[in-house]
Amino acid sequence: MKITGPVTIKTSGTRFGAWMTDPLATTRNNRVWYMDSYTNSKIVREYKTIDDFVSGVVSQTYSLPFKWEGTNHIVYNGSLYYNKYQSNIIVKYNFETGTVLAQRALEFAGFHNMYPYTWGGYSDIDVMADELGMWAVYATNQNAGNVVISQIDPDTLQVLKTWNTEYSKRNAGESFMICGTLYITNSHLSGAKVYYAYSTKTSSYEYIDIPFHNQYFHMSMLDYNARERALYAWNNGHQVIFNVTLFHVIKTEDDS
């Protein structure tokens, strides 16, 4: 894997926040959602296009029924999935109906800076999606504060399967899933690199060294978008995008 960029899309908001598009939306309906700050807020801004986002033309504003915690939210198939404030509950909020379709506690998951990423900011629970579906990344006492990966049913929020890793959550800068593999960075500061990969297909891990340019020196969100093969990031009050190049190992069978 190679990570190039970033391209700075916009400079706005506080040092911490989240912004995203829906990986299951069509390219003609590629709305942007924007959630500034990691705590004490429940306002989500929607923009019809990236261009509208850049020029600041808000198409809609949503007031969520509960505040969020952290910056690790996703929009997936028209709904926002986020960590409810001061809890280990994941909330599924549908934009079209303006209602909560599901909420469920992530059993044993630490929250409210019990097991955050290195930067803090109540980043204990990270909801993400890749080519294989939806995931939650978090840590538990039972796994000694190390990273736990759970595959999640996007309708019910039930845990389908769980993997326990041996990587300390508090030593992880950020993480993202690509094709069922979790990639973890070793810091949120400059010099950070992708350092560890855990494959849910083989339940095995390896240490890796994939550099990326932490241009504005502080990373509070890093999330993979499978449709765009890109990483959306919140880089110290800048909304940036990294491109991801995936290298596939092609196995050939020798017939002789």
Side-chain angles (χ1 to χ4, degrees), residues 31 33 42 44 46 60-66 78-80 82 91-102:
R31 291 175 289 173
W33 289 273
K42 49 184 184 179
V44 182
E46 180 183 290
Q60 209 155 337
T61 302
Y62 303 90
S63 181
L64 301 174
F66 318 109
S79 288
L80 171 71
Y82 73 97
V91 176
K92 177 184 182 180
Y93 173 86
N94 184 263
F95 286 119
E96 202 173 316
T97 61
T99 56
V100 171
L101 297 186

Side-chain angles (χ1 to χ4, degrees), residues 21-22 25-33 47-50 225 227-228 232:
T21 59
D22 185 340
T26 62
T27 46
R28 287 216 310 252
N29 183 29
N30 198 20
R31 291 175 289 173
V32 175
W33 289 273
Y47 303 82
K48 281 207 169 107
T49 62
I50 286 264
N225 183 299
R227 187 195 62 212
E228 297 174 24
Y232 280 63

Side-chain angles (χ1 to χ4, degrees), residues 30-176:
N30 198 20
R31 291 175 289 173
V32 175
W33 289 273
Y34 180 89
M35 299 165 72
D36 190 15
S37 183
Y38 67 88
T39 185
N40 217 24
S41 180
K42 49 184 184 179
I43 300 300
V44 182
R45 292 188 178 88
E46 180 183 290
Y47 303 82
K48 281 207 169 107
T49 62
I50 286 264
D51 288 345
D52 279 2
F53 173 59
V54 171
S55 53
V57 181
V58 179
S59 69
Q60 209 155 337
T61 302
Y62 303 90
S63 181
L64 301 174
F66 318 109
K67 292 176 184 174
W68 67 72
E69 188 150 286
T71 54
N72 302 300
H73 337 288
I74 59 161
V75 174
Y76 188 74
N77 203 19
S79 288
L80 171 71
Y81 296 78
Y82 73 97
N83 180 200
K84 188 178 185 178
Y85 182 64
Q86 286 193 335
S87 78
N88 56 12
I89 292 169
I90 297 173
V91 176
K92 177 184 182 180
Y93 173 86
N94 184 263
F95 286 119
E96 202 173 316
T97 61
T99 56
V100 171
L101 297 186
Q103 54 179 318
R104 186 181 291 270
L106 200 53
E107 197 174 30
F108 303 125
F111 61 93
H112 207 65
N113 273 0
M114 189 186 291
Y115 298 121
Y117 288 129
T118 50
W119 68 278
Y122 308 144
S123 56
D124 305 53
I125 294 170
D126 194 344
V127 189
M128 51 185 86
D130 69 355
E131 294 82 355
L132 305 182
M134 184 174 292
W135 308 84
V137 170
Y138 54 101
T140 63
N141 281 336
Q142 286 78 355
N143 196 38
N146 294 327
V147 169
V148 177
I149 306 165
S150 289
Q151 191 156 24
I152 302 284
D153 182 316
D155 293 326
T156 65
L157 304 180
Q158 276 179 302
V159 170
L160 304 173
K161 193 172 176 187
T162 292
W163 295 258
N164 290 319
T165 79
E166 294 171 11
Y167 195 100
S168 166
K169 176 76 163 56
R170 284 178 163 274
N171 290 333
E174 267 291 340
S175 72
F176 52 90

Side-chain angles (χ1 to χ4, degrees), residues 11 14 18-19 43 84 88 114 141 178 180 189 198 234:
T11 301
T14 62
W19 74 292
I43 300 300
K84 188 178 185 178
N88 56 12
M114 189 186 291
N141 281 336
I178 301 179
L189 300 170
Y198 186 95
W234 191 290

